[in-house]
Amino acid sequence: MLRIAIVAVMFCAAALSARADDEEKKISNDRPDRPLHMPAASSETKEAFDDFDRFARRGAWERATKALYSIAEDQAGRFVDGKDGFIVPVARKRRDVLSALSPEGQAAYRLFYDSDAEKLLAEANGPKEQETLERLYSSYFLTSVGDNAADRLGDLYFEKGQADRAADCWLSILRERPDSELSPALLTVKAALALARAGRGSELEALRPDLNDRFAGETVTLGGRKTKVADLIQGLKVVKEQADDTIPRSADTPAPALPESVGAAWQVRFGDSVTAGMTPEERAQWDKSPLSNAVPAVTVQGGKLYANYLGHVFAIDLTTGKMLWRSASFHDLEKLANQNQMIATNHYAVLADDAHVWTLGRDPKNQSYNATSPLVCRRAETGEVIWQSPDLTEYSGMEMMGTPILAHGTLFLAGRKSATETSSSSNISFYGSSGNQHQYVMAIRPRDGKIVWTADVGALRDGTRYYYYGQADNSPQPRLIYRAGSIYIDTHNGILARIDAESGAVDWGYGYPTDPVQNSMSRLIIINGMLTQSSPSSSAGGAPLRSGDALIFKGAKSDRLCAIDPDRMALLWERPIAKSARLLGLDDEAIYLGGPELGALDRKTRALRWSTPLPGGSDDGRVIARADGIWQLTPRGIFEVDPRTGAVRRIFRGDDDGSSGGDLILAEGLLLAITNRAISAYPLGQAPGGNPDGAAVSGKTTKEIE
Amino acid sequence: MTRSNLAVVTVSLLTLLVAGPARAQVADGLDGFTVTGKGTASALPNRLEIDLEVSAASELSADAIVKYRDAKKRLEDAFATLKLPNVAVEERALAVDQKGQAYSPYYMEMPAANKGKVEVQLSRKLVVSCKDIGKLDEESLLQLVARLLDVAQDAGAKIGNATEYNPYYGRYGNGSNALVRFILDDFDALQEKAYEAAIVDAKARATRLAKLSGTAVGRVAGVRELKVPGDNVSPQSLMQTIVAYEYGVNAGQDKEAPHKEITSDKFQKIPVEVALQVRFEVAAAAPNPKATTTKPAGGGQ
């Protein structure tokens, strides 16, 4: 009897332990140790979903659906846990749970809510048409008129150019409303056209058998014109407007091969300008300062290189190496070396088009503890300031961060701001608290700085800003990418979120494992940087990589490499990886990783193929990853690595002695090496040096990955 | 155990500690002449060593193994391509531990870690050893050292022993910036010379004492080695001992098989030093007229 009791106790303990482990692993927006929480639905809303589940299991349809409709309308845009780690808006979850009802439940549901839905559909006219249709789509999709509402909403989205959202509307009718009386041929054609325009290739291919076999002979009316399906779908393919980060096999630019010994075609030694005239003591002070290790953020546009060096913006002609203009003299930086220990030198960004240059980064002359980074727009030709965020009231209190991106004529940028207060002083946070800050993404009109929309991604639980103790904010910066009408933000705080680029609506978030929020006790003692043990990779979070239908990403503080299908909202795979790793690029065969060493993961088996330690590691800096080689700038020169084996093929020492590594860019027939001391341009050779297949592969396509 | 018991035990232990040296003193006695003789012979180092470390860490042990294996292979291949017959890469102990889980004396706790998540770290110290450097002139030696350091750095190796966090000093490394260690381990002949010199020195000292005290030096009654070449306690291990004592942590001890060598951070003649404590008996000598007039107050030295 005693034995049985012991076995039973052990079994219970094991079961409880397993359950606790599962709870530990489960990513939930409600977990208090998560550093970023998407705007959470109220507890009443969550209870309503629980009630729905309970009543639906019992077959109490009226009470079940009533529970769902007790959710206040203002909760529709709040977030709850969805499937597979996704965090979805209440409206979406409501539609999903209703779609999952049994036929009996759906029949009962229609009995209760058809009349409400019909009434709403009748009101869906005029200025409130879209809003009403959206409400119908989210709340009454399963009613008899829900499919009609979704179809009309799809038409509206498509007319506005929101092909991605239009495709979702039509696909949901095809997938979730098989009882719909709408023409399946027309719906399929519309969905296919929207998918093609949105760049969702694999979903388009999934519809193609139906289009070719089932509906090819049918005639549909589109835009008032009758057309045969076969004619419509002829030559229908994905519009390749959005970038894909997979390195193609075809060629367009020569490899960054350098002759055995070649001097720089030109060099801009801005580091010398800073240190010119310094006394030995001043020089020693400067060398000790973190500012002396700052590598300027650069971008190349229209034959010019634009750089943001600690808030000093300058332009260089790529042909001659001549500095065309600069916003301020470099000399004043030496005076700031001792006073600005808290400036994060890698939080500067620059972006340009043919006529404008946008820069982001704190002004080192601003000694205020709560200084933020202004966004400044200048004329590309002269450097003259056109507009700057401190002059615009709508930016008040917003701390902008990360690297802005320009897509479809709109500037997108991440920022943080206190949710309750608007004054800039409200951003101060002490002792590691976040000060009630929220993570935002903004869409900005590039010409005048007007904010088109601001999307709230979530509330931060962990600020990690220690102004009083002289430590720079080395927290990883959020990264943005544009893909098929959506902006994706990897917050590097455990959430990857998708935002509609047109409206700023947050579609969903994906919660991935990340470091939990630390209590303030363990982070208090910071005295003059004495205990600064931060990893060099702490702020080197990369942007997600686009590969076909998949997004591959890794949070800076995460020990998982994840691949998701953002259109189907599915986790494709995930793999444990060292926290210190970062994504560099990918091709058909491998995913290239940086970190303490360079590495390559096999895309099929996801096993680590090779790993190559380089001097100084590969924790930050832009690396050129191509099908014919990987090039990295290290403190000991430019290393060329074979992407198949990881072997170092050759080392080009160059003219960057004394630098601490930096970025490599291939542009205008030059290999540009950007370090903390100089920008050097090296002329390219004829074929990749040391590569036995050099002649055959010398023309493969370049992909510069940040 | 009660407080009174504890006190008794403590007092007993203290008594033992105090009594130990007292007994030794009695045994040593002051019979004859006890002197310390020192002998030195020096030579240029015959070997140099460069400490390298390869390490790899990952969430998946399989990844850590690939990283470690590749890093080690690339380093070994890099030195192999040099084709220098006198250069060898020796492997030291392999450590398998958990990354970032060192005890922090300032926080008085282990760092916050995710429960159940272990990042496996493999690390091994490699020592590049180059022998017969005594035959090289300074220029050739510099070229050789530069070449070895360049190859190691280009292969991505960490040079020196600076990766261990030292909680005693609140920094990484042991305070030494030396990249190369010069070694003299072929010093048997020199050692013999140093011993001979030490005995001669001891005898000279004893003779002086005997002369001053009006006696004569007799035969050698006992010899004790005070300093033997190659048996030095390095400052690093001393520091590690302090750290271990102060904080209860073991800051990267790298226990190797004991071997006899003398090291220097600089390329210079390395002294082989011997110190011997020698006891001579007092010989029965002819009476010294000066000594009889000034009678010594006591015997001995």
Side-chain angles (χ1 to χ4, degrees), chain A residues 24 516 522 530-531 533 559 575-579 597 608 610-613 615 636 639 645-647 651 653, chain B residues 55 57-60 63 66-67 70-71 74 99 106-107 109 114-115 117 119 150 153-156 165 170 172:
Chain A
E24 186 94 16
S522 63
M530 179 180 164
L531 289 179
Q533 291 182 54
D559 55 13
R575 179 201 194 278
I577 198 111
K579 270 185 195 168
E597 54 279 298
L608 186 64
W610 54 258
S611 165
T612 301
R636 298 184 58 78
F639 277 58
T645 63
I651 302 167
R653 300 290 180 196
Chain B
S55 65
S58 190
E59 183 86 2
L60 283 184
D63 286 358
V66 171
K67 286 181 182 182
D70 282 7
R74 289 186 205 292
K99 191 184 177 187
Y106 284 95
Y107 299 137
E109 62 181 11
N114 290 344
K115 192 179 165 190
K117 292 191 176 179
E119 198 161 345
D150 278 347
Q153 288 186 83
D154 287 341
Y165 181 68
Y172 287 85

Side-chain angles (χ1 to χ4, degrees), chain A residues 200-215:
Chain A
R200 292 159 62 173
S202 70
E203 287 170 286
L204 174 62
E205 291 312 309
L207 291 183
R208 214 177 275 280
D210 273 351
L211 290 168
N212 288 338
D213 306 334
R214 206 171 139 202
F215 307 125

Side-chain angles (χ1 to χ4, degrees), chain A residues 194-518:
Chain A
L195 287 171
R197 192 164 290 186
R200 292 159 62 173
S202 70
E203 287 170 286
L204 174 62
E205 291 312 309
L207 291 183
R208 214 177 275 280
D210 273 351
L211 290 168
N212 288 338
D213 306 334
R214 206 171 139 202
F215 307 125
E218 292 195 28
T219 303
V220 294
T221 306
L222 273 178
R225 288 195 337 185
K226 289 189 174 179
T227 321
K228 271 200 153 188
V229 171
D231 296 337
L232 273 171
I233 60 164
Q234 195 174 26
L236 185 66
K237 59 183 179 186
V238 166
V239 178
K240 285 278 184 192
E241 66 165 12
Q242 77 278 5
D244 187 307
D245 295 316
T246 309
I247 301 164
R249 297 251 156 220
S250 57
D252 63 359
T253 55
L258 295 162
E260 282 303 322
S261 62
V262 63
W266 51 259
Q267 265 195 319
V268 175
R269 292 187 163 269
F270 55 86
D272 290 349
S273 299
V274 178
T275 55
M278 282 187 182
T279 63
E281 292 76 21
E282 286 170 340
R283 180 61 194 263
Q285 187 68 45
W286 169 253
D287 287 341
K288 272 195 334 190
S289 163
L291 297 189
S292 67
N293 283 324
V295 176
V298 299
T299 188
V300 171
Q301 183 69 34
K304 296 190 187 87
L305 179 143
Y306 300 97
N308 183 358
Y309 177 55
L310 296 170
H312 295 61
V313 186
F314 57 94
I316 297 170
D317 186 306
L318 280 179
T319 314
T320 62
K322 189 182 167 193
M323 189 180 285
L324 301 171
W325 54 261
R326 65 178 174 179
S327 63
S329 159
F330 299 129
H331 288 298
D332 57 354
L333 280 169
E334 62 172 281
K335 298 169 197 157
L336 307 168
N338 197 29
Q339 300 158 12
N340 279 284
Q341 305 292 323
M342 75 292 288
I343 287 183
T345 54
N346 52 358
H347 288 189
Y348 287 84
V350 62
L351 183 70
D353 68 8
D354 288 336
H356 304 87
V357 182
W358 298 271
T359 57
L360 182 70
R362 185 176 162 175
D363 180 359
K365 288 194 283 291
N366 189 342
Q367 299 291 313
S368 169
Y369 282 122
N370 55 334
T372 54
S373 301
L375 178 66
V376 181
C377 175
R378 297 171 188 274
R379 286 191 205 291
E381 201 61 36
T382 61
E384 177 198 352
V385 174
I386 301 172
W387 59 265
Q388 53 187 338
S389 58
D391 297 340
L392 304 171
T393 53
E394 49 197 323
Y395 289 89
S396 174
M398 184 66 82
E399 182 190 355
M400 287 163 283
M401 52 179 45
T403 307
I405 60 168
L406 192 62
H408 292 267
T410 303
L411 199 64
F412 298 97
L413 180 60
R416 286 181 187 176
K417 186 180 179 181
S418 168
T420 51
E421 297 176 61
T422 52
S423 72
S424 58
S425 60
S426 65
N427 284 328
I428 308 170
S429 53
F430 304 110
Y431 305 114
S433 72
S434 63
N436 197 25
Q437 283 196 319
H438 278 233
Q439 178 73 66
Y440 294 98
V441 175
M442 293 174 288
I444 298 165
R445 216 156 59 191
R447 306 288 177 262
D448 57 10
K450 184 177 170 48
I451 295 178
V452 181
W453 52 253
T454 303
D456 183 0
V457 178
L460 291 152
R461 283 287 172 92
D462 190 17
T464 63
R465 296 174 61 177
Y466 301 98
Y467 292 128
Y468 281 142
Y469 293 96
Q471 189 187 18
D473 172 16
N474 281 320
S475 57
Q477 298 284 286
R479 299 297 300 266
L480 304 174
I481 58 163
Y482 178 88
R483 178 187 176 276
S486 296
I487 295 295
Y488 293 84
I489 175 174
D490 188 348
T491 60
H492 289 291
N493 261 324
I495 299 280
L496 175 102
R498 182 165 103 163
I499 301 160
D500 181 53
E502 191 70 25
S503 65
V506 181
D507 290 338
W508 47 257
Y510 178 77
Y512 57 80
T514 193
D515 276 356
V517 173
Q518 295 184 20

Side-chain angles (χ1 to χ4, degrees), chain A residues 519-530:
Chain A
N519 65 53
S520 57
M521 282 300 288
S522 63
R523 310 185 76 170
L524 262 174
I525 307 172
I526 308 291
I527 305 161
N528 296 329
M530 179 180 164

